[in-house]
Amino acid sequence: EGLTVLVRARNQNYRKALEEVTLIVKKADSAVITAPLANKLAYNGSKQQLITAGEAKGGKMQYALGTKIEATVSYSSSVPEVIDAGTYYVWYKSKGDQNHHDSEAKYVIAKIDTTIVTVTFVDGLRNTLKTEKVEGGKSAAAPDTPIRDGYIFVGWDKDFSRVTSDMTVTALWKE
């Protein structure tokens, strides 16, 4: 691989000379000049960017989720977003352009902390049936089926199978 050029030269006696020369241009290394940083995150039930983007020289930043040992998904130019609480290894590198090699891949550890939310079950008549603290993203357990004279309990007004914030769930009745 190289570039062939034709060099024309003259010596002191004005004699023309032609020489074919092959030049080989080696790729330089690309570099991550600003490493990505982990964002401080708490579970909220929505996708969240795990890191702030880094900056590369001689290439473009690429990211992938993985383990402590390696990236386990394909690299992409998009900053990884996830919903669930947990610890994540975000791998990054500079993907070299046509004149640069890729940089060495490294990782940053990002965490989405769990949150504790309160779910309050009420009977619709200002009476609390049960209050429960649950980890964000988990489900609350309904109290025993409430009883009300002259009414039939038909369910609850909200879904509480994946709670993301404090909520009040009210019993629904039918006469």
Side-chain angles (χ1 to χ4, degrees), residues 80-81 98 137 174:
E81 295 181 337
Q98 70 273 13
K174 180 175 131 182

Side-chain angles (χ1 to χ4, degrees), residues 72-90:
T72 55
V73 298
S74 298
Y75 280 88
S76 161
S77 60
S78 300
V79 170
E81 295 181 337
V82 296
I83 296 173
D84 294 327
T87 300
Y88 298 90
Y89 292 88
V90 181

Side-chain angles (χ1 to χ4, degrees), residues 123-169:
D123 65 2
L125 302 172
R126 299 181 186 241
N127 297 312
T128 298
L129 301 171
K130 176 184 178 186
T131 299
E132 180 180 4
K133 301 245 185 233
V134 297
E135 190 176 299
K138 305 290 184 186
S139 56
D144 292 336
T145 302
I147 298 171
R148 181 175 170 196
D149 288 340
Y151 292 86
I152 299 170
F153 172 74
V154 294
W156 302 101
D157 70 337
K158 293 183 182 107
D159 177 26
F160 46 90
S161 62
R162 189 172 171 106
V163 182
T164 59
S165 61
D166 292 348
M167 67 186 307
T168 299
V169 182

Side-chain angles (χ1 to χ4, degrees), residues 17 21 29-30 38 41 43-44 56 66 120 139 150:
V21 178
D29 292 329
S30 67
L41 303 169
Y43 176 81
N44 66 11
T120 305
S139 56

Side-chain angles (χ1 to χ4, degrees), residues 23-84:
L23 303 173
I24 297 177
V25 179
K26 293 186 178 181
K27 288 185 176 187
D29 292 329
S30 67
V32 174
I33 57 175
T34 305
L37 297 173
N39 291 326
K40 183 168 176 54
L41 303 169
Y43 176 81
N44 66 11
S46 300
K47 280 188 176 183
Q48 300 183 76
Q49 287 191 337
L50 292 170
I51 58 169
T52 57
E55 188 178 347
K57 181 178 180 181
K60 293 187 178 181
M61 290 299 293
Q62 299 272 296
Y63 310 94
L65 292 176
T67 65
K68 189 175 184 176
I69 298 170
E70 64 185 351
T72 55
V73 298
S74 298
Y75 280 88
S76 161
S77 60
S78 300
V79 170
E81 295 181 337
V82 296
I83 296 173
D84 294 327

